[in-house]
Amino acid sequence: MTMIVRNLQGVRDRITTACVAAGRDPAAVRLLAVSKTFGADAVIDAMSDGQRAFGENYVAEGVEKILALRAWQGDHPGSVGAPLEWHCIGPLQSNKTRLVAEHFDWVQSVDRLKIAQRLSEQRPPELPPLQLCLQVNIDGGANKSGVSPDEALALAREVAALPCLTLRGLMAIPEPADSFEAALAVHRQTKDLFDSINAAGFLPRPMDTLSMGMTSDLEAAIHAGSTMVRVGTAIFGGRG
């Protein structure tokens, strides 16, 4: 058993334990393995243990990895399994939207209408709709990306009307908290916002994805209602 496989199993155990403690079904929480700065070999290692969803912060690095893994799968048809699912989770500038629209399956970091419009326009027609989360700056961090909570509902309304996109939910990266209770309180703010947007009733389909929780706070996020945790360090190790 490799280190990455052992770590993956440990993270899955953490998710299961947190779900049981919160009275939730462990199947309701997906694991996104954040593979930024790690090469294709690390992704292949995770794939060997059934991991299929991967998150990338840097667009150019992510596209290079997507293409490399696609070629690897073509050379190893017996090892393909279910298709890989690639999520762009880093800040997204206008000059990178075409690469994301053409190569990724999900974008979790949309925080303004212009970016969503460009993704919609640049999504190739032969591909399925790009799955999208709005990034919310839930705790007002001065250096954080994300739409403010007060503006999130209006942005959701505009994004939901765009073609070639499917609005799936919200993503948040709050500042590190010094206790479980503090982390839980902030994550609950995101869950409340998620529920209020769904309750507004204008979406063609209710949002179903609440992407919050990382290596250090996934338990608190799951207790607050997260449906997707984004874990890198606990799976792949520290980054230099």
Side-chain angles (χ1 to χ4, degrees):
M1 181 185 297
T2 68
M3 179 199 75
I4 288 175
V5 170
R6 184 168 58 251
N7 289 347
L8 262 175
Q9 294 179 2
V11 170
R12 290 177 184 137
D13 288 344
R14 285 179 63 187
I15 292 170
T16 297
T17 299
C19 286
V20 170
R24 300 181 60 196
D25 180 355
V29 180
R30 297 185 65 201
L31 172 59
L32 182 68
V34 179
S35 45
K36 68 174 183 180
T37 77
F38 290 92
D41 287 349
V43 175
I44 292 169
D45 209 354
M47 288 168 55
S48 73
D49 197 47
Q51 183 65 29
R52 286 296 181 270
F54 295 91
E56 291 287 329
N57 287 62
Y58 310 116
V59 174
E61 176 194 338
V63 170
E64 181 179 352
K65 211 172 297 180
I66 290 167
L67 296 176
L69 268 297
R70 191 175 297 160
W72 184 89
Q73 287 180 305
D75 292 338
H76 299 79
S79 303
V80 172
L84 299 186
E85 182 180 280
W86 292 96
H87 295 235
C88 177
I89 60 174
L92 186 54
Q93 303 300 319
S94 296
N95 64 345
K96 302 290 188 181
T97 54
R98 184 174 296 278
L99 282 173
V100 172
E102 291 176 348
H103 295 283
F104 283 82
D105 304 295
W106 284 66
V107 184
Q108 297 199 20
S109 49
V110 172
D111 60 2
R112 56 196 188 277
L113 182 60
K114 177 184 177 181
I115 295 297
Q117 289 171 329
R118 290 177 65 86
L119 291 168
S120 174
E121 293 163 1
Q122 295 167 346
R123 184 68 167 173
E126 68 274 14
L127 294 180
L130 188 61
Q131 309 300 294
L132 187 146
C133 290
L134 301 182
Q135 182 173 351
V136 180
N137 187 356
I138 195 65
D139 54 357
N143 298 314
K144 288 285 183 65
S145 299
V147 62
S148 71
D150 290 343
E151 297 173 343
L153 189 147
L155 180 59
R157 188 185 300 272
E158 293 174 311
V159 169
L162 295 173
C164 304
L165 306 176
T166 299
L167 179 59
R168 295 292 296 271
L170 303 181
M171 183 268 267
I173 312 173
E175 296 290 337
D178 57 9
S179 69
F180 176 89
E181 291 75 18
L184 178 61
V186 176
H187 287 312
R188 279 179 171 162
Q189 292 178 42
T190 309
K191 176 62 161 63
D192 289 345
L193 180 62
F194 175 88
D195 289 341
S196 69
I197 293 173
N198 270 339
F202 61 82
L203 296 174
R205 52 172 281 180
M207 298 188 300
D208 60 6
T209 300
L210 191 52
S211 175
M212 57 186 192
M214 299 186 289
T215 294
S216 62
D217 64 345
L218 69 84
E219 285 85 2
I222 288 171
H223 275 255
S226 175
T227 68
M228 182 182 293
V229 293
R230 309 178 307 275
V231 179
T233 301
I235 295 172
F236 296 105
R239 295 174 170 86

